[in-house]
Amino acid sequence: MEDPSLDAVSTPGRVAAADEGIGQDELALAARNHGLPLEALRYDVTPPGLHYVLVHYDIPATDAQRWRLSVKGQVRTPLELGMDELRALEPVTRRVTMECAGNGRAQLSPRPVSQPWLVEAVGTADWTGVRLQAVLDRAGVRADAVEAVFTGADHGIERGIEQDYQRSLPLPVAEDVLLAYEMNGRPLPPQHGHPLRLVVPGWYGMAHVKWLHDITLTDTPFTGFQQAVAYRYRQTPDDPGEPVTRIAPRALLIPPGFPDFMSRVRVVNPGPLPLEGRAWSGHGPITRVEISADDGHTWADAEVTPRPPHSTAWQAWHTTWTATPGRHTLAVRATDADGHAQPLDPPWNRGGFANNAVQRVALVCRSATAS
Amino acid sequence: MEDPSLDAVSTPGRVAAADEGIGQDELALAARNHGLPLEALRYDVTPPGLHYVLVHYDIPATDAQRWRLSVKGQVRTPLELGMDELRALEPVTRRVTMECAGNGRAQLSPRPVSQPWLVEAVGTADWTGVRLQAVLDRAGVRADAVEAVFTGADHGIERGIEQDYQRSLPLPVAEDVLLAYEMNGRPLPPQHGHPLRLVVPGWYGMAHVKWLHDITLTDTPFTGFQQAVAYRYRQTPDDPGEPVTRIAPRALLIPPGFPDFMSRVRVVNPGPLPLEGRAWSGHGPITRVEISADDGHTWADAEVTPRPPHSTAWQAWHTTWTATPGRHTLAVRATDADGHAQPLDPPWNRGGFANNAVQRVALVCRSATAS
């Protein structure tokens, strides 16, 4: 029998036709990966099981007792560290808002075919672990090292290339990176990288390598699939593109009132309506959140809780809007300290990355007598 | 301004056209509700955050300190119980496999438009709480009581009907029911009904009312929306239908080998391939699990772990299949002690309930030299 071509099951990236509904392949990803139900934005720290989850291949079966992290390449002393050895180093806890680079993809037109997120691929957790720098200091970084390549235990095939999930970071970025073994004070759950993962505050999720078992320092930039092929902003298939790195600013509103089951349209009563939500950016604190009820013609400022120094967690915001009977669409826009503001129209690229167009929430306000 | 009709945002149930892809409304449900990634079938008890979640409306904000369960209607002594009072009663822990009644819906043709599950709406947990019977004994059941109506705190509109989520059980069924306040030894997480939910072993998920705050005994059968309109097996819109109750048998295979990211097709190597998974039924223990690699023409028995007495949790099964180079589709079929076996073709109804057609897993086996 002829060797079946893996090309037949692992096809190139593609963009959906203009009128093409979500396919069974996209649905299978949506069913196994998890979004944050937007009402869960109410929690400062996302409760277990509500944080977004994106797994490229399968969640691997792991054993913390036998786990080894190897540190090798351009180091003076290669290391093999068990979890006990990592836990013996000084622990650090960081509250970090994490977002999938593909968040917003399914709202693009035409739609890049991949995990079809709307706006819910986000979550905030307290991550505890050791500073990557502490481990690198023990290994001794050679002068010619330029990047650290991180390898996870999840194995699969993607666009024809069989791989363990791998990503790199330039060494200067690695200074602010955590090797995390706890999430919200408990050992990592399987889907969040048990027993060890990378946490890269301010960067999209693809950088936070889960089920981490190898760190290799290299003297040339890494050109693996997830670095050089996937996770780049491209307009065409042959565009080399720019790498996806830090999180673009976004504000999300907790949808007010109550929903219809199927349409998720919200129902509210007339009068003053408290609105609240979260906002974040990987480029710095959020300095402004605005609300519009007229499709972006006019905006009103919300109150934004300042971000503590060194935090990379989302910030709470709130305001009041006066509902009048009829149908409305609320839009929310965040601006960060770097001056980046969310666009009204989705920024498009072939991977469907970083679509941070303003969130729009449809609602119907009943007349006073109807309530 | 005219009062906007809620009918415009809350439309009747419908069935998709033959060539209609998954819509944005179905996708929004898939993104906020959570399936079990099938590799997580490896765990006897589903780890936190991997158990399926289906929320009809919003996860309500709840406060365990101030939570009150009222017990009223056809009882001699109406009760108002706080969580401390419930925890003071004798605790019981049950391991229960729970499945959404809509599991399998998105594989139907034509497809009922609702939460578009493929096969992953399942999970197993250890639920701790008090027996409903212990609470009813304290209240004293009147002779004319026939049903218990359970009300949750989630509020929404569905097919034009504004409601708190409500379901009833005939009193004889209530004997085996738990008022659960812990999941896997920890307080219920928000999405699983914090601080109190019903657990009805063997029944589909719609019976396990979450965020439970009221139990009312009635002397007539309950005719609320979730009982008399939704969750019925209907062939046509005006068919009164039969109620959805106990879980139909199902076996699931942990997809072997490793996946392609987008197609989720599995890649395996030639030779003996261990296969394993879980099987369950709400009608009794699973007595047989079979595997077919030729579209159901021939079947081979797998080994099934017996179910302990009184358990309603899934059972592990395993077998070995010899992979040969080429493309294959594996099918898995469970039979329960009542003699119910999974059908090869999906049983269709307008709600898309209890589609327990055999699971099919597509894989490609490489030639030996390719590995």
Side-chain angles (χ1 to χ4, degrees):
Chain A
M1 186 179 287
E2 197 184 327
D3 183 27
S5 168
L6 294 185
D7 293 351
V9 300
S10 192
T11 53
R14 75 178 188 93
V15 168
D19 58 348
E20 186 181 333
I22 301 289
Q24 290 274 317
D25 51 354
E26 293 165 286
L27 179 59
L29 289 176
R32 57 178 271 110
N33 292 308
H34 292 174
L36 177 87
L38 294 186
E39 64 273 27
L41 290 163
R42 74 167 72 102
Y43 308 105
D44 287 338
V45 173
T46 308
L50 291 177
H51 194 289
Y52 97 89
V53 175
L54 186 286
V55 175
H56 272 249
Y57 312 120
D58 285 355
I59 299 167
T62 58
D63 179 350
Q65 299 298 319
R66 301 196 301 177
W67 199 257
R68 288 289 177 278
L69 173 70
S70 52
V71 183
K72 60 185 202 289
Q74 302 297 321
V75 295
R76 281 190 290 276
T77 313
L79 305 175
E80 285 273 338
L81 301 169
M83 293 306 300
D84 287 350
E85 289 166 287
L86 286 166
R87 285 177 174 272
L89 298 173
E90 187 191 3
V92 177
T93 298
R94 295 283 302 271
R95 181 164 299 180
V96 175
T97 294
M98 208 180 283
E99 182 177 8
C100 185
N103 203 11
R105 178 183 289 124
Q107 298 193 332
L108 292 173
S109 181
R111 184 182 74 252
V113 174
S114 184
Q115 163 71 38
W117 296 120
L118 295 164
V119 296
E120 62 291 289
V122 66
T124 295
D126 288 331
W127 301 97
T128 300
V130 301
R131 293 173 58 239
L132 170 62
Q133 198 58 55
V135 171
L136 293 185
D137 287 349
R138 262 184 77 171
V141 177
R142 287 187 186 273
D144 48 2
V146 294
E147 285 196 352
V149 178
F150 303 92
T151 305
D154 50 332
H155 185 87
I157 182 169
E158 196 164 347
R159 302 198 205 164
I161 298 175
E162 186 178 342
Q163 58 191 284
D164 287 344
Y165 189 85
Q166 283 190 309
R167 286 277 308 181
S168 76
L169 288 171
L171 280 187
V173 172
E175 280 179 17
D176 192 35
V177 165
L178 220 58
L179 305 177
Y181 47 73
E182 286 186 0
M183 183 184 189
N184 304 333
R186 314 252 308 165
L188 298 183
Q191 70 274 30
H192 289 291
H194 181 270
L196 191 68
R197 74 174 299 170
L198 207 60
V199 172
V200 188
W203 285 54
Y204 280 116
M206 78 282 151
H208 307 234
V209 177
K210 298 192 281 285
W211 313 291
L212 178 69
H213 66 80
D214 185 84
I215 302 173
T216 298
L217 301 199
T218 59
D219 56 7
T220 54
F222 178 61
T223 57
F225 177 85
Q226 302 294 348
Q227 206 84 19
V229 180
Y231 294 114
R232 298 188 80 88
Y233 298 112
R234 301 179 199 274
Q235 292 299 315
T236 61
D238 54 355
D239 175 3
E242 290 296 314
V244 178
T245 59
R246 291 186 174 274
I247 299 175
R250 188 192 297 272
L252 288 179
L253 166 66
I254 299 176
F258 60 82
D260 173 64
F261 170 72
M262 193 64 223
S263 70
R264 300 298 301 170
V265 171
R266 315 296 303 190
V267 179
V268 303
N269 291 320
L273 184 68
L275 299 177
E276 57 174 330
R278 305 278 171 177
W280 63 92
S281 166
H283 298 277
I286 294 294
T287 50
R288 188 174 199 184
V289 172
E290 301 157 284
I291 290 277
S292 174
D294 60 4
D295 204 22
H297 290 96
T298 60
W299 295 87
D301 278 295
E303 274 204 61
V304 185
T305 306
R307 192 168 90 173
H310 312 300
S311 169
T312 54
W314 56 24
Q315 294 159 253
W317 59 265
H318 71 273
T319 188
T320 301
W321 172 72
T322 301
T324 55
R327 299 197 69 160
H328 303 276
T329 299
L330 298 180
V332 192
R333 177 169 68 184
T335 304
D336 67 23
D338 267 12
H340 297 114
Q342 291 181 256
L344 291 185
D345 297 314
W348 193 91
N349 56 77
R350 271 188 76 82
F353 299 122
N355 171 16
N356 69 331
V358 297
Q359 177 197 19
R360 288 179 172 85
V361 176
L363 58 84
V364 53
C365 175
R366 300 188 281 200
S367 65
T369 50
S371 63
Chain B
M1 188 180 287
E2 198 183 325
D3 183 28
S5 169
L6 293 184
D7 294 351
V9 301
S10 192
T11 54
R14 73 179 189 92
V15 167
D19 58 348
E20 186 181 333
I22 301 287
Q24 290 273 316
D25 51 355
E26 293 165 286
L27 178 60
L29 289 175
R32 55 177 275 111
N33 292 308
H34 292 173
L36 178 86
L38 295 185
E39 65 272 27
L41 290 163
R42 73 168 73 102
Y43 308 105
D44 287 338
V45 173
T46 307
L50 291 177
H51 195 288
Y52 98 88
V53 175
L54 187 286
V55 175
H56 273 247
Y57 312 119
D58 285 355
I59 300 168
T62 59
D63 179 351
Q65 298 298 318
R66 302 195 301 176
W67 199 257
R68 288 290 176 279
L69 173 70
S70 52
V71 183
K72 60 184 201 287
Q74 302 297 321
V75 295
R76 283 191 288 279
T77 313
L79 305 175
E80 286 271 338
L81 302 168
M83 294 305 301
D84 286 349
E85 288 165 288
L86 287 165
R87 284 177 173 271
L89 298 173
E90 188 191 3
V92 177
T93 297
R94 295 282 302 271
R95 183 165 298 181
V96 175
T97 294
M98 208 180 282
E99 182 177 9
C100 186
N103 203 12
R105 179 183 290 125
Q107 297 193 333
L108 293 173
S109 181
R111 182 182 77 252
V113 174
S114 184
Q115 164 70 39
W117 296 121
L118 295 164
V119 295
E120 62 291 287
V122 67
T124 295
D126 288 331
W127 302 97
T128 299
V130 301
R131 292 174 58 242
L132 171 61
Q133 199 58 53
V135 171
L136 294 184
D137 287 349
R138 264 184 75 170
V141 177
R142 286 185 186 277
D144 47 4
V146 295
E147 285 196 352
V149 179
F150 304 92
T151 305
D154 49 333
H155 185 85
I157 182 169
E158 196 163 347
R159 301 197 207 168
I161 299 174
E162 187 178 341
Q163 58 192 285
D164 286 344
Y165 189 85
Q166 282 190 310
R167 286 276 309 179
S168 77
L169 288 171
L171 279 186
V173 172
E175 280 179 18
D176 192 35
V177 165
L178 219 58
L179 306 177
Y181 47 73
E182 285 186 0
M183 182 183 190
N184 304 333
R186 316 252 307 164
L188 298 182
Q191 71 274 28
H192 289 290
H194 181 270
L196 191 68
R197 73 173 300 169
L198 208 62
V199 172
V200 188
W203 285 53
Y204 280 116
M206 79 281 148
H208 307 235
V209 177
K210 298 192 281 284
W211 313 292
L212 178 69
H213 66 82
D214 185 84
I215 302 173
T216 298
L217 301 199
T218 61
D219 56 7
T220 53
F222 178 62
T223 57
F225 176 86
Q226 303 294 347
Q227 206 84 19
V229 181
Y231 294 114
R232 298 187 80 89
Y233 297 112
R234 301 178 198 276
Q235 291 300 315
T236 60
D238 55 355
D239 175 3
E242 290 297 314
V244 177
T245 59
R246 290 186 174 275
I247 298 175
R250 188 193 296 274
L252 287 179
L253 166 66
I254 298 176
F258 59 84
D260 173 64
F261 170 72
M262 194 63 225
S263 69
R264 300 300 300 172
V265 171
R266 314 297 302 191
V267 179
V268 303
N269 290 321
L273 184 68
L275 299 178
E276 58 174 330
R278 306 278 170 176
W280 63 92
S281 166
H283 298 275
I286 294 294
T287 51
R288 189 174 199 185
V289 172
E290 302 157 285
I291 290 278
S292 174
D294 60 4
D295 205 22
H297 289 97
T298 62
W299 295 88
D301 277 296
E303 275 204 61
V304 184
T305 306
R307 193 169 88 170
H310 311 299
S311 169
T312 54
W314 57 25
Q315 294 159 253
W317 59 264
H318 70 273
T319 188
T320 300
W321 173 72
T322 301
T324 54
R327 299 196 69 158
H328 304 274
T329 299
L330 298 179
V332 193
R333 177 169 69 185
T335 304
D336 67 23
D338 266 12
H340 297 114
Q342 290 181 254
L344 292 184
D345 297 314
W348 193 91
N349 56 77
R350 270 189 74 82
F353 298 122
N355 170 16
N356 69 332
V358 297
Q359 177 198 18
R360 288 178 172 87
V361 176
L363 58 84
V364 52
C365 174
R366 299 189 281 200
S367 66
T369 49
S371 64

